[in-house]
Amino acid sequence: MTAPKIEADPAEVGLDPDRLARVDTHFQRYVDDGRLAGWTIALARHDKLVHLSHYGLRDVDTDRPVTDDTIWRIYSMTKPITSVAALMLWERGLLELTDPVSRYIPAFADQRVYRGGSAQNPGTDAALGPVRVHHLLTHTAGLTYGFHHAHPVDEMYRSKGYEFGAPAGVDLETAANTFAGFPLLFQPGTEWNYSVATDVLGRVVEVASGQRLDEFFRTEILDPLGMADTGFHVPAGDDRLATLYNARPGGGLVENKALGASITREPVYLSGGGGLASTVGDYLRFARMLARGGELDGVRILGPRTLAHATRNHLPGDADLDTIGRPIFSESAFGGVGFGLGFSVVIDPATTKQLANPGTYAWGGLASTAFWVDPVDDVVATFFTQLVPSSTYPIRSQLQTLVGQAVIS
């Protein structure tokens, strides 16, 4: 990999260096008191990398420090990459946002919608319309996740082995067909529920492109952007991989071996919703491509109009997640935040109660990783660590405040 390099002093791009120092000071405390093992933070403004810092360890037991080339499980930060893949196919005329998903996955024809009853004996109604590609991109399809533990349909997913990922030996095609057989939580397009929708979208990408998802990622996004350390698999002998932790009751950390080991096995199930690992340098290149309107270093991934369309609120009635979202997920604020084609989007900063600008788009991952692009202040921010779940500490809102307060011009 090519290590990211500082390209300007913070003061040159309107960031107060003393105020910016608060970012590292604050998160160093997370390591010093045992809440995190280690982290990496990278910030760019006006298309220049101005802050890159590491602190702590990528593995506590072996005392290995976090470095530029540390590999992190990014989980749901895979979703923006899968969404970009679908948008690329849309630009090429290979799919329409209004296409029924059944055009690519026939099992999605004739969907049923949960009406009541138990997971074992649900009552259902016919869907009033098909699940469409844009429903997958916006999480308004009526799909769910088994790990929510909030609804009988979630239980149906878990009963078939779909809680975190897929059962052993199941590929993406089989999983997508299985998801199609569960009832939807609601009529397509009427509510927002965080779900396996982006995994299903990954299967749509495969069918529409004629390539496996990992191959499409490699040839169309990762290789063109120089993201050599991003992929669905990290060889078991690569000691750059950070260890995955949970908070230990009473303080400190405990390794999550069961969940953490999956990235070291060659995957059968290519999860477009959460399957990738990456480095700070790689993901920063992806985020900077977005901030530059779809182009980086002469390589254009998306057109600027496409990206502008994708990063506006697409929820019905221009509603926020608090209004039409099911309140079961914590990787994003709900009040004042909408959802675009693969990204959360700030629509009312005052309602978010966060120091955010309108139009800031973002997402994060299960292991407390996060990124955002702020088109008003022209800031790109990334944060990497390995603590599950992401709701353990208010890392993202704190980082947003700490970065925002350092912008002085």
Side-chain angles (χ1 to χ4, degrees), residues 132-207:
R132 301 184 185 276
V133 171
H134 70 87
H135 294 142
L136 299 178
L137 282 157
T138 56
H139 292 282
T140 58
L143 301 168
T144 191
Y145 268 125
F147 63 70
H148 285 325
H149 290 259
H151 193 279
V153 176
D154 306 345
E155 185 180 343
M156 296 179 204
Y157 280 59
R158 293 194 302 276
S159 71
K160 297 296 185 182
Y162 296 94
E163 184 167 12
F164 293 97
V170 171
D171 63 10
L172 182 55
E173 179 181 7
T174 301
N177 289 335
T178 301
F179 299 147
F182 297 127
L184 303 175
L185 266 67
F186 45 78
Q187 293 289 343
T190 61
E191 298 184 48
W192 186 93
N193 190 67
Y194 196 53
S195 72
V196 298
T198 317
D199 291 76
V200 176
L201 185 67
R203 177 59 186 160
V204 171
V205 169
E206 289 190 330
V207 176

Side-chain angles (χ1 to χ4, degrees), residues 76 147-148 192 194 326-332 334 363 390:
S76 289
F147 63 70
H148 285 325
W192 186 93
Y194 196 53
R326 300 216 166 185
I328 55 177
F329 193 68
S330 58
E331 284 191 13
S332 173
F334 271 33
W363 205 240
S390 60

Side-chain angles (χ1 to χ4, degrees), residues 5 8 13 27 39 50 157 185 194 216 225 268 321 334 337 361 372 377 405 408:
K5 298 184 184 303
V13 295
F27 287 107
W39 48 257
V50 296
Y157 280 59
L185 266 67
Y194 196 53
F216 187 91
L225 289 177
V268 176
L321 295 174
F334 271 33
V337 175
Y361 55 97
W372 75 80
D377 283 335
Q405 60 86 38
I408 57 171

